[in-house]
Every structure is written in structure tokens, then in C-alpha cells.
Amino acid sequence: MKLPFDARWLLPLALLLGLALRVPGWFTQDIKDNWVTFEPDEGQHVHAATHRYNDLYDGEKVGDYNDSPWNVRGYGHLIATTAYGWYALQDNPPSWEEFVLLGRKLSTLFSLLLILSVWLLARAGGLSPPYAGVAALLMAACDANATISHYCLPAAGYVFWCYLALLGALRLGHKSSSFSGLALLALGSAGAVAFKFDVLPLAWGGLYLLHLAFMRRAIPWWYVPVGVGLVLAFVGISWYGWSWDNIQSTFKGLSKLNREGVPVEDHFRDNLIVYPAGVLAGVGLPAFGFALFGLMRLWGSAAGAKRVEKKAWTNRHWTLLYLTGWIVSEFIVRWSVDTAFIRRVNVFMPAVCILCAYGLHELRKHSWLSLAVVIYTVLFGIVGQSNHWFDTRYEMREFVNNELPEDAKIGVSGYVKLEGLRKTDWFMNGNWDYAVIHETHYSRYWKSMTTPFGLPECCDGVYNCKSEKECARMQSLLSGTDEKARLLKAFRPRNWFPERIAYAHFFGYYETFLGETLVFERKAGSRES
């Protein structure tokens, strides 16, 4: 592919695109105070951050939590250490909102590092700078990754650590005695454990390291114990201050939630469909399709090389086995749990972008295809992110504040509170003239990735069901069968691409914490006592 400029400029262009799509997402209009954010899991990691910050800081304590954090603490500890270093200069502890914003900025930083890693992985895999640039641009434009990259969550960092481990392993395999490759493999593997309890990069990286040391004899044997020591050191630093008893109880609690979150479901059937659908709808059909083509060509060329060389296994085959084994095992883990969430598809997205670039490289005689795929994916990402920048809740606020009667009583579901909204009450109290419900709250009772294919049964088929009464009320409102209320106004996100239209039809809006905002009006004479 010929370009009118040096292909190496594609990497900074990808990084600038990544920033442009992610930075506006820092500035949501949620309240950002004491767990009140559009993405409630942000509070868990702020909790971990304040807990660790109080251990480091001798002055006024922050937060008013009496219980210990219950999620994995690696990301929260990183936020705390960063906050301590920055705010210690000002001698002023950060507020809850400042912790949230710092965590969001760190997520964006990890995403930019992931874009760089995708470029380096593509180059290490043999792609020329133009096609490595295509992979980086696709990663920058990937809507699913852009979303997790402006939340105060470990997800963006976790994906980066996974692919950093792959980059380190590839460098070891290609450059043999490169100690920097060992350091990257150890750091990436440790980061995946520290952020998400994910031991698969460590397990597969360890097996590949043993292969290089004792089967190929391409690296010194002492790389193995040194690598183990580095992993233990990195994890220990990340988790310092977290007791072993609490680590165990956190792991058991998260495992139970993942495997028993929905009492009655069939995740072995559903997850075979929802995860591939989530990957496709996260990056767009062109990139997904060319990635499948690239995967077939990659394995086809490896099989052809084996026949030509008449060797049982070459270094290329072992490397492909390592990469494929890791990505397949990540899917098996997700397939085996009953709580499917869209952010969990993100671990596959960098692989899709690199494979797509490889597929386009195989069709390099048709160079216009690369431009078309990149443009489509960028537009796909812009439209997807615009639903964060112009959230349906913002338009709803203007309608509720300005169009509804001043003396009307407003009931709201979860995920509706935001800056500037008039006084409201909890909608299940029943004493309202108008009720506002958001898809993040009602999707569990209606249709979502976690409970797909039909109306879930109250409450056995519902993830994190609040009550039978709430479930039944939500389903009656959404189905139009409620005798006491009718839909007055619907504020819907931009689903302009066929992938997202199809996904929303079966599973609801793509992003877990975005979606429709619906306003219902009480029918005359039907007020509840």
C-alpha cells in the first residue's frame, strides 16, 4: 500500500484519533459523588483507591467507608499511588470526583499504550508499517475499546497488560535472548493478575517460556526463574497492603457472582452467540469480516509452510499455538460463566484489529479496501461515542425540567440522577405523576446480553433482580400492558449502523450503561395510594 507520506506517521495519527474519541468521555454530567455515576462499578475502584490512599496519607482521611473493598485492588492501588504522588504536592487530599477523573485519565493512558502495542505486535508479526498503521487506526477507532477507556475501571489497563505479555513473548521468540522481552512478558502477565485475577496470560506465557528455554534452547534456562521472580515482584508491589485473607474472599465472591448471577439460564448456548455478536458490533462488520479472512489465511499459510518444509513444527507454528491457545482459553472462560457483559469482549478486539490488517495485507493489490475499512470503522466509532457525548439523559433532563408541570411528582429508576435534574423520588414508591426509567436499569428485566432471547422470568431469569414486584412492573410498563401508565416520550441513542440495529433488536442497546431513556405518564384516575 503506497501512501503520500511516511507510513510511520500512521502511529501518531492513531494516537491522536484515540485521544479525540476518548477524552470527551471523561466529562460526563453524572453527579460523581459517593457512588453516584452512570457506571456504578467506578465506585468500587474509587473505594479501593481511597482505602489505599488512607494507608499512604498521614493527613485527613478521604471517604467514609466502614467496609473493605470487595473487588480486585490492583487498579485502585494504582489510582491511589498516583493520587498520593500528585496531591501530596498540593497537601490537599483529592475529592471523590477527583478520584473518578484520575481513574478515567489512567484508563485513557492505558488505551493509548494498547494502540502502541497493537502497532508493535503487528510489526513483530511481519506486517509492513502501512498495515501496522491500519491495525493501530482500527484499534484507535474501536468503539468498544473507546468506551472502557474513559471509565474509571481496570478494563482498559487489563487488556493492555494482556497484549503487552504477548508482545514480550513474541520478542523473546524472535530475538531469542532479549531480556526486554522477558520483562514485558512478566510485567504484562503480572498486570493481568493484579487488575483482573486473570492467570491465563501468565499460564500461556509461562508455557511458551519453558518451550523457548528447554525445547528450542533459544534463551538461557535462568530466564524461567527470573521471569517467575519478576511476576511475583510486580504483583506484590501492585497488591501491597491487601491481606491474603481478603484476596481469597474477594476471589471466591467474584467467582460466585460470575457463576451464580442468574439463577436460571443457559450460558453454554447463549454465550456462543452473544460474545461473537458483541465483538462484531463492537468494531463493525468490515473489520470483523476481514479479521476472519485474515485468520483463515494465516492458518492456511502456516499449514502450507508445514507441507513445503516437511517439518513437524517450526517456530512459527509454536508461536501461533501459543497465541491461539491464549485467545481460545479467554473465550472458554467467558463461555463458562453465566454473567455475559459487553466490556468482556474487549480482550478480543486488538486481535481482531491485527487480523483485519493482515487480511487487508493479503489483499494489498486492492489498496482501496484498507481505506474503506478504516473510514467505516472511524465513522462507526464516532457515532458510537457520540452517545456518550450527547447522552439521552441530557435531552430527557431538558424535557422533564421545562415541559412537565412544575408541581408534578417525578419518579425515577436507577441511572437517571444527573446534574441539574429537578427534584425526583424513587419510582417504585408509586407516588408519581411521571416516571423516568433508563435502559441500564430496565434491561435486566427486558432484554440484554446477560439475559438474551426472550423475556426473562421474574426473578429466576434476571441478573441482580431487585424484587419480583419491580420486575413485573418494569415488564408491564415496557410491554405497554400497564393499566396505570403510558409511554409519553422516548429518548433513543443513535443506532445508525446495521450491526448496532441488529444487536439492539436482540439484546438491547450495545453499551451497558447507555441506552434509551423513557418517560411514562400516569393515566388519569390511576394514582397509587
Side-chain angles (χ1 to χ4, degrees):
M1 180 169 61
K2 294 182 179 180
L3 295 172
F5 53 87
D6 190 331
R8 288 174 293 185
W9 283 103
L10 290 175
L11 177 58
L13 179 62
L15 294 172
L16 288 173
L17 174 63
L19 272 174
L21 287 178
R22 288 156 177 78
V23 169
W26 299 349
F27 307 108
T28 51
Q29 297 178 33
D30 43 1
I31 296 174
K32 290 188 281 291
D33 181 35
N34 197 27
W35 300 78
V36 184
T37 56
F38 291 156
E39 216 295 13
D41 292 345
E42 290 184 303
Q44 298 176 21
H45 301 285
V46 172
H47 186 184
T50 57
H51 193 273
R52 179 61 182 152
Y53 186 90
N54 288 334
D55 291 340
L56 297 171
Y57 185 60
D58 293 331
E60 178 186 353
K61 301 304 179 185
V62 298
D64 55 356
Y65 312 114
N66 297 318
D67 56 331
S68 296
W70 67 274
N71 213 320
V72 189
R73 296 196 193 179
Y75 186 64
H77 282 194
L78 177 62
I79 296 173
T81 304
T82 307
Y84 178 73
W86 177 254
Y87 287 95
L89 299 174
Q90 307 176 34
D91 195 29
N92 182 34
S95 65
W96 205 92
E97 180 177 358
E98 288 170 325
F99 270 113
V100 171
L101 290 175
L102 177 58
R104 293 178 179 182
K105 294 171 184 177
L106 286 174
S107 287
T108 297
L109 175 61
F110 278 121
S111 182
L112 297 178
L113 292 172
L114 177 62
I115 294 168
L116 173 61
S117 297
V118 165
W119 165 278
L120 294 173
L121 279 165
R123 294 290 290 128
L127 289 179
S128 62
Y131 287 96
V134 168
L137 285 168
L138 293 174
M139 190 71 253
C142 176
D143 184 51
N145 180 265
T147 292
I148 64 166
S149 302
H150 53 66
Y151 283 138
C152 176
L153 297 174
Y158 157 70
V159 177
F160 163 70
W161 293 128
C162 289
Y163 283 86
L164 185 70
L166 296 186
L167 179 62
L170 286 185
R171 287 194 167 183
L172 278 175
H174 292 170
K175 298 183 179 180
S176 298
S177 58
S178 168
F179 190 81
S180 64
L182 178 66
L184 294 178
L185 173 60
L187 180 59
S189 301
V193 174
F195 275 33
K196 279 287 187 179
F197 278 147
D198 187 352
V199 299
L200 292 176
L202 174 61
W204 282 98
L207 288 173
Y208 190 64
L209 192 65
L210 291 171
H211 163 74
L212 293 175
F214 298 109
M215 293 184 66
R216 280 184 54 200
R217 301 186 183 277
I219 59 174
W221 65 268
W222 53 266
Y223 270 35
V224 176
V226 169
V228 172
L230 287 173
V231 170
L232 292 175
F234 291 144
V235 174
I237 292 170
S238 182
W239 284 356
Y240 186 77
W242 192 13
S243 72
W244 177 245
D245 287 344
N246 198 275
I247 291 171
Q248 290 179 297
S249 66
T250 300
F251 180 80
K252 291 176 182 177
L254 291 174
S255 297
K256 182 178 181 180
L257 180 64
N258 281 326
R259 298 186 183 279
E260 301 177 12
V262 183
V264 179
E265 45 75 46
D266 187 358
H267 58 268
F268 287 111
R269 177 203 65 186
D270 296 345
N271 290 353
L272 282 175
I273 301 171
V274 298
Y275 275 110
V279 173
L280 189 159
V283 71
L285 181 59
F288 184 82
F290 281 107
L292 291 180
F293 173 75
L295 181 63
M296 291 188 292
R297 291 299 292 263
L298 183 64
W299 274 102
S301 64
K306 180 180 176 182
R307 288 193 297 269
V308 170
E309 297 173 12
K310 297 182 179 179
K311 295 180 180 179
W313 283 87
T314 65
N315 178 44
R316 183 183 187 188
H317 295 108
W318 284 110
T319 302
L320 281 176
L321 176 64
Y322 157 58
L323 298 174
T324 305
W326 170 70
I327 205 80
V328 169
S329 62
E330 291 286 1
F331 175 77
I332 290 173
V333 169
R334 286 155 179 77
W335 180 39
S336 66
V337 299
D338 65 4
T339 49
F341 297 116
I342 201 61
R343 67 171 173 250
R344 291 179 175 172
V345 306
N346 271 282
V347 76
F348 307 113
M349 292 305 186
V352 169
C353 295
I354 295 171
L355 286 170
C356 176
Y358 180 80
L360 291 168
H361 174 265
E362 290 293 289
L363 298 169
R364 54 191 174 275
K365 291 182 179 179
H366 307 285
S367 57
W368 63 269
L369 283 173
S370 297
L371 180 62
V373 171
V374 168
I375 290 174
Y376 185 97
T377 308
V378 169
L379 293 175
F380 190 88
I382 290 172
V383 172
Q385 289 306 297
S386 72
N387 288 309
H388 292 274
W389 311 333
F390 309 104
D391 195 303
T392 58
R393 283 165 284 209
Y394 304 162
E395 191 178 358
M396 172 277 299
R397 176 183 55 198
E398 299 307 309
F399 175 78
V400 169
N401 287 352
N402 301 317
E403 302 296 329
L404 298 185
E406 292 185 5
D407 59 346
K409 295 181 178 180
I410 313 297
V412 297
S413 72
Y415 309 96
V416 170
K417 289 186 177 180
L418 72 161
E419 295 174 351
L421 183 64
R422 64 190 283 185
K423 182 179 179 182
T424 62
D425 195 6
W426 178 239
F427 86 106
M428 281 301 292
N429 291 343
N431 187 27
W432 47 263
D433 301 301
Y434 300 91
V436 182
I437 63 175
H438 191 264
E439 189 167 0
T440 301
H441 188 94
Y442 73 68
S443 61
R444 73 192 72 187
Y445 306 118
W446 192 240
K447 54 183 177 180
S448 69
M449 184 180 185
T450 308
T451 52
F453 309 123
L455 205 61
E457 181 181 350
C458 297
C459 264
D460 286 342
V462 174
Y463 173 73
N464 196 19
C465 185
K466 302 300 183 183
S467 68
E468 294 272 355
K469 180 181 179 181
E470 180 175 305
C471 177
R473 187 66 192 276
M474 280 290 192
Q475 290 185 353
S476 67
L477 284 171
L478 294 164
S479 63
T481 60
D482 194 290
E483 297 179 352
K484 298 180 179 180
R486 67 177 185 88
L487 179 64
L488 175 65
K489 187 79 172 178
F491 302 93
R492 307 189 193 279
R494 284 161 288 281
N495 277 334
W496 292 352
F497 287 82
E499 304 93 322
R500 289 294 175 84
I501 294 171
Y503 186 95
H505 176 75
F506 291 105
F507 312 122
Y509 185 68
Y510 184 79
E511 302 293 355
T512 306
F513 298 101
L514 291 178
E516 297 181 341
T517 306
L518 307 179
V519 180
F520 289 87
E521 179 183 34
R522 173 85 63 190
K523 293 180 180 178
S526 61
R527 178 172 295 278
E528 298 176 13
S529 58

